[in-house]
Amino acid sequence: MGISQERSLLPDLRWQLTTAVRPRRQVIGERASRLAILDEAERFIALCYAEHPGLGPVSERLRQVRAEIEALGTYRHTTAELTFAARVAWRNSSRCIGRLYWRSLRVRDRRDIRTSDEIAAEAVTHLREASRDGRIRPLITVFAPDAPGRPGPRILSQQLVSYAGYQSGDKVTGDPQSTVHTRLAQRLGWPGGNPQGRFDVLPLIVAEPGRAPAWYPLPADAVRQVPITHPNHDWFADLGLRWYAVPVISDMYLQAGGIRYPAAPFNGWYMCTEVGSRDLGDSGRYDQLPVIAERLGLAADNDLNLWKDRALTELNVAVLHSFRSAGVTITDHHTESARFIKHLETEERQGRNCPADWSWIVPPAAASATPVFHRYYENFDQTPNFYRHPRLSLAGHEPG
Ligand code: ARG
């Protein structure tokens, strides 16, 4: 990659980011936009006050909100409303099997923060508070919302912690899911690992509107990681596998009551199949099944011996064992499936219909041995909710 290409990327990327977060009102007109916000706001406030009678009369609050939107084109959630918004966004996340604990989500209100430097510092605090001594707690940090003519900041990283994927030709060292972000970090000036390793923690990439993204290395002590070992196979440690303790999703925005919070990183704890079956097992990710099968003495040229299934199971056993021995919260897909069924029952008792997406809820291992497999769900989209930002793409900037 030559210097000139590197330079030319930044203004374009800046443009892309600014337009991506351009408030809708500029597109569909101020009046229409106010009506849209008002409509969403009214529904949200009504829901919030109906579920929390202690907050007082809804009519008074609705009057305030209407006046604020009329005057400013936006309004500010109270702390109670923001907390409710984040929790219900989780409750409405139809792909998440872990929703039984939606009420326990802790909300860090950082709506006054919009500079990259401060966001990076708060992200580090988030990591520390979420992982504590290994007892992971569900946590969200909410940064400044979009406002008319004033888009909020964005975190470009997919998760606060992720591993680099260095591409060279067809070969990727590290996580193939991170190649675009790794390239971006490098172009912004991140030197990368020296030597480049399979588990180099990527720097955090943050974008203030109208400015080029900035990268921030994460302090090692804020990034808890777990070496993967197996309870019965000593050779497993020799594979040199590891994973980070907390998945903090940072490329989704929180949409609630007509307000969009473009940077609102949140986390729960891992279910073993996320790491064992998918992150380390997928052929498009760390692709560890062939090497594990080999060590297990299974011929990988014969589908009839179910080498993939057996390797997957041992990898999941290893992930669970490793997190547990490290004292880091993790759950298995059987426990989590049973909890999800309980969640559905609780929701039903509350008179709520729980949206769920079968293809995401059913675990990628032992599917039919879990109760979530044997039923259908209704999937529908309702706010508050989390939505993924458009994928970061460096298309058109690739050499050759
Ligand atoms: N599946 C993603 C990963 O493997 C994390 C998604 C969120 N997971 C969670 N347990 N909250 O990194």
Side-chain angles (χ1 to χ4, degrees), residues 96 159 177 243-244 247-249 266-271 274-275 278-279 285 360:
C96 177
Q159 297 187 16
Q177 188 168 273
W243 205 254
Y244 48 87
V248 192
I249 307 293
F266 60 86
N267 74 276
W269 51 75
Y270 265 122
M271 181 165 91
E274 299 185 82
V275 178
R278 307 298 314 281
D279 301 334
R285 301 286 301 285
W360 276 72

Side-chain angles (χ1 to χ4, degrees), residues 77-87 107 109 111 142 254 261:
H77 288 137
T78 63
T79 306
E81 288 162 5
L82 183 71
T83 302
F84 178 76
R87 289 178 178 165
V107 181
D109 180 356
R111 285 175 292 171
V142 184
L254 166 63
Y261 298 95

Side-chain angles (χ1 to χ4, degrees), residues 308-319:
K308 286 186 185 170
D309 309 56
R310 295 168 70 182
L312 266 174
T313 301
E314 296 311 329
L315 184 47
N316 274 287
V317 166
V319 167

Side-chain angles (χ1 to χ4, degrees), residues 12 15 49 56 61 76 97 117 136 153 190 198 217 260 268 291 338-339 371 382 394 396:
D12 276 25
W15 175 85
Y49 283 65
R61 178 61 181 143
R76 188 178 163 90
I97 193 175
D117 290 359
I136 310 235
W190 179 57
R198 286 196 295 167
R260 191 174 99 128
V291 351
R339 284 180 182 157
Q382 62 190 4
L394 303 185

